[in-house]
Amino acid sequence: MSEFINLIFSGANALPTALLLFIFLYWIIVILGFVGTDFLDIDIDIDSDNDVDMDGASSGDLSWLNKALLFFNLGKIPLMIWLTFVAFPLWFICVNVNGLLGIENFFLGLIVFIPAFIVSVFLAKFLTWPFVKFFMKIEEDSKEKEIIGKVGTVILAADHLRRGQAEVNYRGSFLTFYIKTREGDTVEKGDKVLFIKNLDKEGFYIIEPYREIE
């Protein structure tokens, strides 16, 4: 047992082990309810090919990166779900290859880490496919529901820069949507908010604090 502990915490396996421990810690925090699954989420502009910046430079210059990320399902599902399916095969490959070759040095471990990461990303593409279909179904269902003008409850704090989440009672079912505020506003967990605009392309709603008239 001690040999296994020494192996997984050796310099060669430092990166994959640290990543796996981070994943475990993150899901423990999620289970305890301190953050949502989109806490470290990223937004990918699928239509960036056709956008042009005000200074005349085309944002399509980075379209290849967006397409590459979408190819591997990153942006179609929450980042941490995707990263979870990368971390486990990455850790397994690195620990076993480094163990078989007797590699303990950190820099030699990088030689194994890089190709192992590439393999793990491709594995994650297929392993996450059921989640992609699940989140696509949720998105399609939510688009069919009219939420504008409804009052919801914040379950993950948000402002005009940081995306959060709010829950709405829609015909007896509680639905969760991504939210942002107008500039200058901030909402915290438990606050009541009014849904005022659907930014469908960006994938969230603009809300404002809701105060009942007593």
Side-chain angles (χ1 to χ4, degrees), residues 14 32 34 47 52 57 71 73 76 84 94 96 107 131 137 141 146-147 160 162 164 170 174 176 197-198 203 214:
L32 293 177
F34 293 111
D47 298 324
V52 178
F71 174 79
N73 296 334
K76 298 179 182 179
T84 298
C94 288
N96 281 275
F107 295 102
F131 290 90
K137 178 63 176 174
D141 290 344
E146 184 55 56
I147 303 300
H160 73 285
R162 178 183 50 170
Y170 184 84
F174 286 92
T176 301
K197 187 176 181 180
N198 181 10
E214 297 181 358

Short mmCIF file of all heavy atoms in Angstrom, two decimals, residues 14 32 34 47 52 57 71 73 76 84 94 96 107 131 137 141 146-147 160 162 164 170 174 176 197-198 203 214:
data_model
loop_
_atom_site.label_atom_id
_atom_site.label_comp_id
_atom_site.label_asym_id
_atom_site.label_seq_id
_atom_site.Cartn_x
_atom_site.Cartn_y
_atom_site.Cartn_z
N ALA A 14 2.63 13.89 -10.17
CA ALA A 14 2.15 15.02 -9.39
C ALA A 14 0.98 15.73 -10.07
O ALA A 14 -0.04 16.02 -9.41
CB ALA A 14 3.30 16.01 -9.15
N LEU A 32 -22.20 19.32 -1.11
CA LEU A 32 -22.55 20.06 0.12
C LEU A 32 -23.37 21.31 -0.20
O LEU A 32 -23.90 21.95 0.71
CB LEU A 32 -21.29 20.44 0.88
CG LEU A 32 -20.50 19.26 1.48
CD1 LEU A 32 -19.22 19.76 2.14
CD2 LEU A 32 -21.35 18.49 2.48
N PHE A 34 -22.37 24.23 -1.75
CA PHE A 34 -21.73 25.53 -1.70
C PHE A 34 -21.62 26.19 -3.07
O PHE A 34 -21.61 27.42 -3.19
CB PHE A 34 -20.34 25.42 -1.07
CG PHE A 34 -20.36 25.05 0.39
CD1 PHE A 34 -19.91 23.82 0.82
CD2 PHE A 34 -20.86 25.95 1.33
CE1 PHE A 34 -19.94 23.47 2.15
CE2 PHE A 34 -20.89 25.62 2.67
CZ PHE A 34 -20.43 24.38 3.09
N ASP A 47 -21.11 31.16 -32.86
CA ASP A 47 -21.30 31.94 -34.07
C ASP A 47 -20.23 32.99 -34.28
O ASP A 47 -20.41 33.94 -35.03
CB ASP A 47 -22.66 32.66 -34.01
CG ASP A 47 -23.80 31.67 -33.93
OD1 ASP A 47 -23.68 30.62 -34.56
OD2 ASP A 47 -24.78 31.95 -33.22
N VAL A 52 -17.74 40.62 -36.07
CA VAL A 52 -16.62 41.52 -36.38
C VAL A 52 -16.52 42.53 -35.26
O VAL A 52 -17.49 43.18 -34.89
CB VAL A 52 -16.84 42.24 -37.73
CG1 VAL A 52 -15.69 43.19 -37.99
CG2 VAL A 52 -16.98 41.23 -38.85
N ALA A 57 -11.14 44.08 -36.58
CA ALA A 57 -10.52 42.76 -36.51
C ALA A 57 -11.60 41.72 -36.34
O ALA A 57 -12.50 41.86 -35.53
CB ALA A 57 -9.54 42.70 -35.32
N PHE A 71 -15.83 20.43 -30.52
CA PHE A 71 -15.63 19.07 -31.02
C PHE A 71 -15.45 18.09 -29.87
O PHE A 71 -15.93 16.95 -29.92
CB PHE A 71 -14.42 19.02 -31.95
CG PHE A 71 -14.05 17.62 -32.40
CD1 PHE A 71 -14.76 16.99 -33.41
CD2 PHE A 71 -13.00 16.94 -31.79
CE1 PHE A 71 -14.44 15.70 -33.82
CE2 PHE A 71 -12.67 15.65 -32.19
CZ PHE A 71 -13.38 15.03 -33.22
N ASN A 73 -16.74 18.47 -26.99
CA ASN A 73 -17.93 18.65 -26.13
C ASN A 73 -17.73 19.68 -25.03
O ASN A 73 -18.60 19.82 -24.16
CB ASN A 73 -18.37 17.33 -25.49
CG ASN A 73 -18.83 16.33 -26.53
OD1 ASN A 73 -19.27 16.70 -27.61
ND2 ASN A 73 -18.71 15.04 -26.22
N LYS A 76 -20.57 22.33 -24.44
CA LYS A 76 -21.89 21.71 -24.54
C LYS A 76 -22.36 21.19 -23.19
O LYS A 76 -23.55 20.98 -22.98
CB LYS A 76 -21.86 20.56 -25.55
CG LYS A 76 -21.51 20.99 -26.97
CD LYS A 76 -21.46 19.79 -27.90
CE LYS A 76 -21.07 20.19 -29.32
NZ LYS A 76 -21.00 19.01 -30.23
N THR A 84 -13.90 16.08 -15.34
CA THR A 84 -13.93 14.85 -14.55
C THR A 84 -13.64 13.63 -15.43
O THR A 84 -12.89 12.73 -15.04
CB THR A 84 -15.31 14.68 -13.88
OG1 THR A 84 -15.54 15.78 -12.99
CG2 THR A 84 -15.39 13.37 -13.10
N CYS A 94 -1.28 7.74 -16.63
CA CYS A 94 0.00 8.23 -16.14
C CYS A 94 0.57 7.35 -15.03
O CYS A 94 1.75 7.00 -15.05
CB CYS A 94 -0.15 9.67 -15.63
SG CYS A 94 -0.37 10.90 -16.92
N ASN A 96 -0.03 4.19 -14.34
CA ASN A 96 0.37 2.87 -14.82
C ASN A 96 1.60 2.91 -15.71
O ASN A 96 2.50 2.07 -15.58
CB ASN A 96 -0.80 2.21 -15.56
CG ASN A 96 -1.84 1.63 -14.62
OD1 ASN A 96 -1.71 0.50 -14.15
ND2 ASN A 96 -2.87 2.41 -14.32
N PHE A 107 9.89 16.01 -14.64
CA PHE A 107 10.05 16.42 -16.04
C PHE A 107 9.94 15.23 -16.98
O PHE A 107 9.39 15.36 -18.09
CB PHE A 107 11.39 17.14 -16.22
CG PHE A 107 11.47 18.44 -15.47
CD1 PHE A 107 12.16 18.52 -14.28
CD2 PHE A 107 10.82 19.57 -15.94
CE1 PHE A 107 12.22 19.71 -13.58
CE2 PHE A 107 10.86 20.77 -15.25
CZ PHE A 107 11.57 20.84 -14.06
N PHE A 131 -24.12 12.90 -21.61
CA PHE A 131 -24.38 14.15 -20.91
C PHE A 131 -24.69 15.27 -21.89
O PHE A 131 -25.49 16.16 -21.61
CB PHE A 131 -23.16 14.53 -20.05
CG PHE A 131 -22.96 13.64 -18.87
CD1 PHE A 131 -22.17 12.50 -18.97
CD2 PHE A 131 -23.56 13.92 -17.65
CE1 PHE A 131 -21.98 11.67 -17.89
CE2 PHE A 131 -23.36 13.10 -16.56
CZ PHE A 131 -22.59 11.96 -16.68
N LYS A 137 -31.24 18.37 -24.31
CA LYS A 137 -32.67 18.18 -24.07
C LYS A 137 -33.20 19.20 -23.08
O LYS A 137 -34.28 19.77 -23.27
CB LYS A 137 -32.92 16.76 -23.55
CG LYS A 137 -34.38 16.47 -23.22
CD LYS A 137 -35.28 16.57 -24.44
CE LYS A 137 -36.69 16.18 -24.10
NZ LYS A 137 -37.62 16.40 -25.24
N ASP A 141 -36.03 22.03 -23.92
CA ASP A 141 -37.25 22.13 -23.12
C ASP A 141 -37.41 23.53 -22.52
O ASP A 141 -38.51 24.08 -22.48
CB ASP A 141 -37.23 21.10 -21.98
CG ASP A 141 -37.39 19.67 -22.51
OD1 ASP A 141 -37.80 19.52 -23.68
OD2 ASP A 141 -37.08 18.73 -21.76
N GLU A 146 -42.06 30.01 -21.50
CA GLU A 146 -41.98 31.46 -21.38
C GLU A 146 -41.69 31.85 -19.95
O GLU A 146 -42.52 31.63 -19.06
CB GLU A 146 -43.30 32.09 -21.85
CG GLU A 146 -43.25 33.60 -21.85
CD GLU A 146 -42.10 34.14 -22.67
OE1 GLU A 146 -42.00 33.80 -23.87
OE2 GLU A 146 -41.28 34.91 -22.11
N ILE A 147 -40.52 32.42 -19.73
CA ILE A 147 -40.08 32.73 -18.38
C ILE A 147 -40.08 34.23 -18.12
O ILE A 147 -40.12 34.68 -16.97
CB ILE A 147 -38.66 32.16 -18.14
CG1 ILE A 147 -38.65 30.65 -18.40
CG2 ILE A 147 -38.17 32.44 -16.72
CD1 ILE A 147 -39.59 29.87 -17.50
N HIS A 160 -23.40 41.47 -13.17
CA HIS A 160 -23.40 41.68 -14.62
C HIS A 160 -22.21 41.02 -15.32
O HIS A 160 -22.19 40.91 -16.55
CB HIS A 160 -23.44 43.18 -14.94
CG HIS A 160 -22.15 43.89 -14.68
ND1 HIS A 160 -21.73 44.21 -13.41
CD2 HIS A 160 -21.19 44.34 -15.53
CE1 HIS A 160 -20.56 44.83 -13.48
NE2 HIS A 160 -20.21 44.92 -14.75
N ARG A 162 -20.59 38.04 -13.65
CA ARG A 162 -20.55 36.64 -13.19
C ARG A 162 -21.91 35.97 -13.39
O ARG A 162 -22.93 36.45 -12.88
CB ARG A 162 -20.16 36.61 -11.71
CG ARG A 162 -20.14 35.21 -11.10
CD ARG A 162 -19.83 35.29 -9.63
NE ARG A 162 -20.67 36.26 -8.95
CZ ARG A 162 -20.73 36.38 -7.63
NH1 ARG A 162 -19.99 35.62 -6.86
NH2 ARG A 162 -21.53 37.29 -7.08
N GLY A 164 -24.82 33.38 -12.78
CA GLY A 164 -25.33 32.58 -11.67
C GLY A 164 -26.51 31.73 -12.11
O GLY A 164 -26.71 31.50 -13.30
N TYR A 170 -42.45 26.74 -12.51
CA TYR A 170 -43.17 26.81 -13.78
C TYR A 170 -44.20 25.68 -13.84
O TYR A 170 -43.87 24.53 -14.01
CB TYR A 170 -42.19 26.70 -14.96
CG TYR A 170 -42.84 26.86 -16.31
CD1 TYR A 170 -43.07 28.12 -16.85
CD2 TYR A 170 -43.24 25.75 -17.05
CE1 TYR A 170 -43.67 28.28 -18.09
CE2 TYR A 170 -43.84 25.89 -18.29
CZ TYR A 170 -44.05 27.15 -18.81
OH TYR A 170 -44.64 27.30 -20.04
N PHE A 174 -40.08 23.00 -10.71
CA PHE A 174 -39.02 23.98 -10.47
C PHE A 174 -37.94 23.82 -11.52
O PHE A 174 -37.31 22.76 -11.64
CB PHE A 174 -38.45 23.81 -9.06
CG PHE A 174 -39.36 24.32 -7.99
CD1 PHE A 174 -40.27 23.46 -7.36
CD2 PHE A 174 -39.35 25.66 -7.64
CE1 PHE A 174 -41.12 23.94 -6.38
CE2 PHE A 174 -40.21 26.15 -6.65
CZ PHE A 174 -41.10 25.28 -6.02
N THR A 176 -34.40 25.48 -13.45
CA THR A 176 -33.22 26.28 -13.15
C THR A 176 -32.67 26.89 -14.44
O THR A 176 -32.55 26.21 -15.46
CB THR A 176 -32.13 25.42 -12.49
OG1 THR A 176 -32.65 24.86 -11.27
CG2 THR A 176 -30.90 26.25 -12.17
N LYS A 197 -35.30 39.57 -19.59
CA LYS A 197 -34.84 39.43 -20.98
C LYS A 197 -34.14 38.10 -21.17
O LYS A 197 -33.38 37.67 -20.31
CB LYS A 197 -33.88 40.57 -21.35
CG LYS A 197 -33.48 40.59 -22.82
CD LYS A 197 -32.61 41.81 -23.11
CE LYS A 197 -32.21 41.86 -24.59
NZ LYS A 197 -31.36 43.04 -24.89
N ASN A 198 -34.40 37.45 -22.30
CA ASN A 198 -33.77 36.18 -22.62
C ASN A 198 -32.68 36.40 -23.66
O ASN A 198 -32.98 36.73 -24.81
CB ASN A 198 -34.81 35.19 -23.15
CG ASN A 198 -34.19 33.83 -23.48
OD1 ASN A 198 -33.04 33.57 -23.16
ND2 ASN A 198 -34.95 32.98 -24.14
N GLY A 203 -27.11 32.20 -23.83
CA GLY A 203 -27.52 31.08 -22.98
C GLY A 203 -27.90 31.46 -21.57
O GLY A 203 -27.76 30.63 -20.66
N GLU A 214 -45.11 46.06 -0.04
CA GLU A 214 -45.81 45.68 1.19
C GLU A 214 -47.04 46.59 1.42
O GLU A 214 -47.02 47.77 1.09
CB GLU A 214 -44.87 45.78 2.39
CG GLU A 214 -43.68 44.82 2.27
CD GLU A 214 -42.78 44.91 3.47
OE1 GLU A 214 -43.05 45.75 4.37
OE2 GLU A 214 -41.81 44.14 3.54
#
